[in-house]
């Protein structure tokens, strides 16, 4: 077995919050929903995806 390193690139190496916020805004728009994406992302930041999907 070879040793390996794993990196979580969401905010660790690059702050991708603006890109995520825009992606959420487009998704919500396509679904006919409205929200402030950036505050929502700050609230959900660090949560496992399963927990976010349950909200």
């Amino acid at each position: 077995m070879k040793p390996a390193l794993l990196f979580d690139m969401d905010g660790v190496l690059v702050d991708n919050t603006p890109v995520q916020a825009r992606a959420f805004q487009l998704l919500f728009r396509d679904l006919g929903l409205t929200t402030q994406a950036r505050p929502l992302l700050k609230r959900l930041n660090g949560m496992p995806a399963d927990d976010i999907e349950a909200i």
Side-chain angles (χ1 to χ4, degrees):
M1 190 177 287
K2 295 181 181 182
L5 293 175
L6 298 177
F7 289 94
D8 176 2
M9 306 270 269
D10 269 353
V12 175
L13 301 176
V14 175
D15 180 10
N16 62 348
T17 302
V19 176
Q20 284 185 313
R22 183 67 178 142
F24 274 108
Q25 286 173 336
L26 294 173
L27 173 65
F28 295 149
R29 182 198 65 194
D30 291 349
L31 295 174
L33 304 171
T34 58
T35 188
Q36 295 295 322
R38 193 173 293 253
L40 178 63
L41 284 173
K42 286 183 180 182
R43 182 175 145 228
L44 303 177
N45 188 30
M47 290 178 65
D50 291 344
D51 292 345
I52 293 172
E53 291 172 0
I55 293 177

